[in-house]
Amino acid sequence: MSTDTPPSTARLADPAGDRDARSLLARLGALLLELLVMASGPMLLMLVHYFSWGAGLYRFAMLCALALLVGWLGVRRKKLVPVLTRGAGRYLLAAGVAALFMMQVRSFVRDIAHGGICTTDMGKPSICAGEWLLHGDNPWAQCATVKLSKKARRHPTTTFEWCLREDRCVDRKAGHAYKTFDHHGPGFDFMDGYKYGPMMMLAYLPAGHLLRERGIYLTNFVFWLGMIALLYATAVAAHPKLPSVGLRALGGLLFTVAIPIGDILPSATVYWLGVEAHASPPSRYEFVRELTKTCANDVIPVVLLLAAVLLCARKHSAWAGVLIGLSMAAKQLPAPLIGLLLVFMDGVSWKRLLSAAVVTATLCYLPFFVWAPREMTANLLLFNMLRPTNSSSIRELLPAGLESLVSLAQLAVVALCVLYFARKTERTLAALLPVAAVLIVLFIALNKVVHGNYLLWVQPFVALALAGAPYALGAERRLRRTS
């Protein structure tokens, strides 16, 4: 009688083959989860854009979902397994990020070459504020007294004449959402001036004077490139021993162009909780369009803020404070929101940070404030208090008497996030980034308006939070051993 083991029994008794199969399945599962985490933030941001005007409730829901995702992954820090870290995986991730980067650069270059009219009220004021200054007028304090000739009105030859043909005020608020907004001066009631800070005006002045709208596009492109570099450096500074963390951060920022949302979701009228809204698929290049066709200027204060965060991580508190001051001198928010967290970060001298920020912002604002204190206060402070809400915000659905409670809820979100971070035993940059992302997302979700330009605040901090916080150092080696 033969004693040979049947082939089928031999195969079943092969532990090495079973171990290899389990290892492969585990790595494939970890890879899919890593890609899902990288794509989740961009996907939710694109869904915010998908729900357009009339969709305040839906935008609020998407932003809350994003805050929950980032918060949950932040709490579950060092739990996930990074796969795209070494060898072929790292090269594949680098190639994918490079392809996404070049797609967006090509879109920027095309828009800069072709130009076009800004579709919002952020572009023209940022150009004309500098023109007012060049002609000796205060862009926060007065409308122009110069009148154009008929020839100049038909064919303006200078950027100043082009501004006057559009309007004699830098940023007049009238019509549409502002049809009942009657604050045209004088003094504290003059709200037809520039709505941003001196640094914003100066940043756009050179290219805006020469190229008008295309100058806005070009300036935003330069700052966007700066954001790419700062995002990579900040991710590496937060997680210096975690492989490929910088590439994952860039992937989280750039992944929006890889989402074919127009092929997935149709244009539709949607109903939820009795609220009707219009949904329209955004372009894959929606975040590029925000910086070109929409002429959103938020990239400037955000880039200055990211540079301040990186300097804090490197323990340069005073220089970080200078950059926070410059960010506030461009736009009042979001720098103070993140600055409140940076005060409690390990290695940061809060006295140097705060004093440098206050001195820098004061020096930037003071000359123009002394020139016209009431009008500057009206345009930079009172306007934001009095501006009407619209259907992009959940506030539109609430009784007018409850709006002040929503503003208190915004302040409560800031206070809770700052208190949570201040009480943590670990207050490193890695621990700060998820808290910063949640703070900004929830602050915007409760804002008076939830326009696409505010998502430029969210995008880099969500990318940084999802790039490193969920992953464990050395987890790939543990995966190989346990499988």
Side-chain angles (χ1 to χ4, degrees):
M1 180 181 294
S2 173
T3 59
D4 293 341
T5 303
S8 59
T9 305
R11 285 195 297 270
L12 290 174
D14 183 9
D18 290 345
R19 190 162 52 247
D20 290 343
R22 288 197 302 271
S23 176
L24 178 61
L25 289 175
R27 289 175 64 80
L28 285 175
L31 174 61
L32 290 175
L33 187 57
E34 183 175 357
L35 293 175
L36 179 61
V37 169
M38 189 186 304
S40 58
M43 185 67 196
L44 285 169
L45 288 173
M46 292 295 275
L47 285 174
V48 177
H49 274 293
Y50 174 65
F51 296 108
S52 52
W53 290 101
L57 175 63
Y58 301 89
R59 289 192 164 195
F60 176 78
M62 292 299 104
L63 288 170
C64 286
L66 181 59
L68 286 172
L69 171 70
V70 174
W72 179 71
L73 289 174
V75 170
R76 290 179 56 83
R77 287 186 62 205
K78 303 179 182 178
K79 299 292 184 182
L80 301 186
V81 178
V83 177
L84 300 172
T85 56
R86 293 181 177 86
R90 181 180 177 85
Y91 294 135
L92 179 63
L93 178 60
V97 169
L100 296 175
F101 173 75
M102 292 308 301
M103 289 170 68
Q104 298 201 32
V105 168
R106 184 180 63 179
S107 182
F108 267 112
V109 172
R110 183 172 58 245
D111 287 348
I112 292 170
H114 294 163
I117 298 174
C118 293
T119 59
T120 68
D121 59 358
M122 289 179 281
K124 177 252 177 184
S126 292
I127 299 170
C128 297
E131 296 302 309
W132 258 238
L133 185 65
L134 291 176
H135 283 77
D137 293 329
N138 188 327
W140 291 272
Q142 63 195 92
C143 297
T145 56
V146 178
K147 292 185 178 180
L148 289 181
S149 65
K150 292 183 180 180
K151 180 180 179 181
R153 185 170 295 278
R154 287 194 302 268
H155 303 288
T157 58
T158 67
T159 303
F160 183 61
E161 291 177 349
W162 173 81
C163 288
L164 291 179
R165 186 183 67 173
E166 298 291 321
D167 199 311
R168 290 176 53 246
C169 298
V170 171
D171 189 10
R172 187 190 301 274
K173 297 300 183 184
H176 301 292
Y178 293 95
K179 60 185 178 183
T180 61
F181 192 78
D182 188 22
H183 297 278
H184 307 295
F188 287 118
D189 201 43
F190 180 77
M191 299 184 191
D192 292 331
Y194 195 42
K195 304 301 187 297
Y196 306 101
M199 279 303 300
M200 193 80 81
M201 172 186 65
L202 295 175
Y204 286 117
L205 179 56
H209 177 71
L210 295 174
L211 301 173
R212 300 175 192 172
E213 286 100 338
R214 290 166 61 201
I216 299 284
Y217 298 5
L218 178 60
T219 303
N220 283 347
F221 178 50
V222 171
F223 275 87
W224 181 82
L225 291 175
M227 183 167 65
I228 293 292
L230 286 168
L231 202 75
Y232 186 92
T234 304
V236 173
H239 306 277
K241 297 181 180 180
L242 189 61
S244 302
V245 64
L247 291 174
R248 271 198 302 276
L250 294 183
L253 183 82
L254 302 169
F255 201 85
T256 52
V257 297
I259 301 174
I261 193 167
D263 300 328
I264 301 172
L265 298 173
S267 295
T269 301
V270 293
Y271 299 89
W272 184 41
L273 299 179
V275 178
E276 176 182 338
H278 181 67
S280 178
S283 164
R284 291 187 183 188
Y285 297 95
E286 189 66 33
F287 282 92
V288 175
R289 297 292 182 269
E290 286 291 334
L291 297 174
T292 55
K293 302 297 183 181
T294 304
C295 296
N297 50 29
D298 297 77
V299 68
I300 293 176
V302 168
V303 167
L304 294 170
L305 177 58
L306 284 173
V309 171
L310 181 60
L311 286 178
C312 280
R314 295 177 177 175
K315 298 180 172 55
H316 299 300
S317 302
W319 285 111
V322 170
L323 287 170
I324 288 177
L326 292 176
S327 179
M328 294 172 61
K331 190 170 185 175
Q332 295 92 324
L333 294 174
L337 302 177
I338 306 303
L340 289 172
L341 296 175
L342 292 174
V343 163
F344 295 100
M345 196 170 88
D346 292 340
V348 172
S349 169
W350 70 268
K351 292 182 180 179
R352 291 184 178 182
L353 181 75
L354 183 61
S355 58
V358 170
V359 169
T360 302
T362 300
L363 290 176
C364 291
Y365 279 108
L366 190 60
F368 301 99
F369 182 79
V370 171
W371 193 350
R374 295 182 301 169
E375 290 81 1
M376 196 170 200
T377 302
N379 282 285
L380 296 181
L381 180 62
L382 299 181
F383 169 76
N384 289 307
M385 296 171 61
L386 298 175
R387 71 181 301 183
T389 187
N390 60 37
S391 60
S392 68
S393 171
I394 194 173
R395 297 191 188 204
E396 178 80 1
L397 304 175
L398 301 176
L402 295 180
E403 188 168 347
S404 59
L405 296 180
V406 180
S407 297
L408 289 176
Q410 272 188 306
L411 296 178
V413 164
V414 175
L416 289 173
C417 288
V418 172
L419 183 62
Y420 171 78
F421 181 71
R423 292 172 63 87
K424 287 174 71 70
T425 55
E426 180 190 2
R427 297 197 298 269
T428 61
L429 178 59
L432 177 141
L433 292 174
V435 181
V438 170
L439 191 162
I440 288 182
V441 171
L442 291 179
F443 186 89
I444 292 173
L446 296 168
N447 206 31
K448 278 189 173 184
V449 292
V450 187
H451 296 164
N453 61 293
Y454 290 114
L455 300 184
L456 296 171
W457 304 7
V458 173
Q459 194 186 23
F461 284 98
V462 167
L464 286 168
L466 297 182
Y471 298 99
L473 181 64
E476 188 181 10
R477 293 192 295 272
R478 293 202 302 271
L479 176 66
R480 288 197 294 267
R481 289 198 302 268
T482 57
S483 57

